[in-house]
Amino acid sequence: MTAPRRVVIEADGGSRGNPGPAAYGAVLRDADTGAVIAQRAETIGIATNNVAEYSGLIAGLELLAEHAPEAEVEVRMDSKLVIEQMAGRWRVKHPDMKPLALRAQQLAPFGVEWTWVPRERNKAADAILNDALDEAAGKPKRRRAADPAPQAPGTTATAAPAGSRNPMVGWRDPLADPPTTLTLVRHGATDSTLAKVFSGSDGADPGLNDVGRAQVHRAAAYVSRADAEAVDVVVSSPLRRCRETAEVLANDLGVEVVVEPGLVEASFGAWDGLTFAQVQERDPEALDAWLASTSVAPPGGESYDDVFARVQRLQRRLVASYGGKHVVLVSHVTPIKMFVRLALDAPMPVIHRLELQPASVSTVRVWPDGISTLRAYDVVPV
């Protein structure tokens, strides 16, 4: 059997009582034919609807790993909560949800498309979970909807809502529908950069060294020749290394500098000024918790989830202020990764797989409908 190129996970969970007897259902389909590849439904004892819904998502992602690990995947659920949390737009606050969300993030491959669908478009997963609950209660099965005849692509039962379909950004006309271009420049090297120590927003505030200043001049030359759009403004983090980077860029590009607090690096609290190895030796439990969940902050610091929320708000402000213009943003590793994550609409763990060099250049474009796209990442001018 030929492996499917694209698949859809339909997942659901339900509790009769909330909390009460609960079960989940997950269906893995070939996205092109609608054919069911695999399905799973199980009871999970007494639980809430949300726990059951996350359990259904995890089951669907496990089916994906078993049957179509190389396929492009879209997850469709009628749980707005789960979809928004997995897409990174809402925080996971409830303690019962955090380990389930973490497990789902670990299973989700890069580039998952997270789609909310109305309940009537998620009938198959709902049907098999209710069959599981009926069977556990000694009742006859009322449904058998998860293995129907294959559906043609685009039919209403499996099609995503029009607003959530692939935006086909490569086909857009930037003249008719001008995006806001955000060129993201990481600051040049400092002595702390070369020493690989945590250097956040509340610690030491080092300036550029000679290596860093040379890197920034190369970045300015690259920005001026790499894009036909003239730069309208340079917007900088308030930290010294970024302000010095921004001044070089602005002088070379002939524009002004605006300082924006939202571009500041994450706060690493008690770890500021230490190397990773030093933190691992002095505070291994806190480090393990921080590495395991983006909702956990270093002692006295800021979590990755908080930085992401800050960058989301900032991107909206930038588009409102500089809509259709070309803005150079001078920032740090963590905020730049969050802009990239927004462009890719990727799960939060993607940030741990992104490398970013000093004075490197990345570019995203934000379109009037809010969709953002990645044009370049971690380009190191030479």
Side-chain angles (χ1 to χ4, degrees):
M1 179 179 176
T2 303
R5 183 173 60 88
R6 300 185 303 122
V7 297
V8 172
I9 295 172
E10 300 168 9
D12 200 5
S15 169
R16 295 177 180 174
N18 197 30
Y24 65 78
V27 180
L28 182 68
R29 292 187 189 274
D30 186 315
D32 294 319
T33 67
V36 174
I37 300 169
Q39 62 190 49
R40 183 181 300 167
E42 294 181 358
T43 57
I44 55 173
I46 304 299
T48 63
N49 282 328
N50 291 339
V51 167
E53 288 161 346
Y54 260 112
S55 299
L57 170 60
I58 290 169
L61 292 169
E62 289 173 343
L63 291 177
L64 173 71
E66 293 170 17
H67 298 279
E70 302 302 321
E72 297 178 12
V73 60
E74 177 186 6
V75 173
R76 298 177 187 169
M77 299 181 69
D78 58 61
S79 170
K80 186 74 169 175
L81 175 74
V82 174
I83 289 296
E84 293 298 316
Q85 288 179 340
M86 290 303 298
R89 292 183 287 267
W90 294 359
R91 292 187 61 185
V92 182
K93 297 181 179 180
H94 196 285
D96 290 347
M97 300 300 105
K98 289 182 178 180
L100 295 171
L102 177 60
R103 177 58 178 157
Q105 289 169 347
Q106 291 169 337
L107 288 168
F110 179 81
V112 173
E113 183 177 354
W114 302 99
T115 302
W116 175 85
V117 294
R119 183 171 297 277
E120 61 269 18
R121 292 188 177 178
N122 202 29
K123 290 181 179 179
D126 177 77
I128 60 174
L129 80 86
N130 277 289
D131 277 349
L133 285 172
D134 288 344
E135 186 174 6
K139 299 177 182 179
K141 291 183 178 181
R142 296 177 292 173
R143 307 164 180 83
R144 190 65 178 168
D147 49 358
Q151 294 176 293
T155 56
T156 56
T158 59
S164 64
R165 297 179 75 88
N166 188 329
M168 296 296 288
V169 291
W171 293 78
R172 296 187 177 196
D173 182 353
L175 297 178
D177 196 21
T180 305
T181 299
L182 305 178
T183 295
L184 310 164
V185 180
R186 186 188 173 194
H187 61 81
T190 70
D191 291 344
S192 294
T193 308
L194 300 179
K196 292 188 178 298
V197 300
F198 285 95
S199 186
S201 58
D202 295 328
D205 192 7
L208 299 179
N209 56 25
D210 290 341
V211 172
R213 280 184 284 274
Q215 291 171 334
V216 175
H217 282 294
R218 291 195 293 271
Y222 172 83
V223 171
S224 65
R225 69 175 183 266
D227 203 313
E229 299 175 73
V231 173
D232 294 289
V233 65
V234 174
V235 181
S236 173
S237 157
L239 295 188
R240 179 183 170 191
R241 54 194 181 272
C242 284
R243 287 188 287 105
E244 291 181 357
T245 298
E247 288 168 5
V248 172
L249 287 165
N251 287 336
D252 288 3
L253 296 169
V255 295
E256 66 173 346
V257 176
V258 175
V259 174
E260 168 52 62
L263 287 171
V264 75
E265 178 60 290
S267 169
F268 297 112
W271 299 346
D272 211 287
L274 302 178
T275 65
F276 187 91
Q278 288 171 327
V279 173
Q280 197 166 35
E281 180 181 354
R282 301 180 190 187
D283 203 0
E285 291 183 2
L287 181 63
D288 286 346
W290 180 66
L291 293 173
S293 173
T294 56
S295 67
V296 174
E302 183 181 20
S303 74
Y304 283 136
D305 285 356
D306 288 337
V307 178
F308 180 71
R310 163 159 56 92
V311 168
Q312 278 186 306
R313 294 191 297 269
L314 173 59
Q315 180 166 293
R316 289 194 290 268
R317 293 201 309 272
L318 290 169
V319 172
S321 299
Y322 303 106
K325 296 184 177 181
H326 184 184
V327 184
V328 173
L329 303 180
V330 183
S331 189
H332 311 261
V333 168
T334 309
I336 291 175
K337 287 183 177 182
M338 299 306 177
F339 278 106
V340 172
R341 185 204 167 196
L342 271 172
L344 297 175
D345 194 21
M348 183 66 91
V350 74
I351 66 171
H352 301 304
R353 303 183 185 184
L354 298 175
E355 297 184 16
L356 200 69
Q357 304 303 307
S360 63
V361 180
S362 306
T363 305
V364 301
R365 294 202 290 187
V366 187
W367 299 83
D369 60 5
I371 295 291
S372 56
T373 56
L374 182 66
R375 297 192 69 192
Y377 181 72
D378 194 35
V379 177
V380 181
V382 293

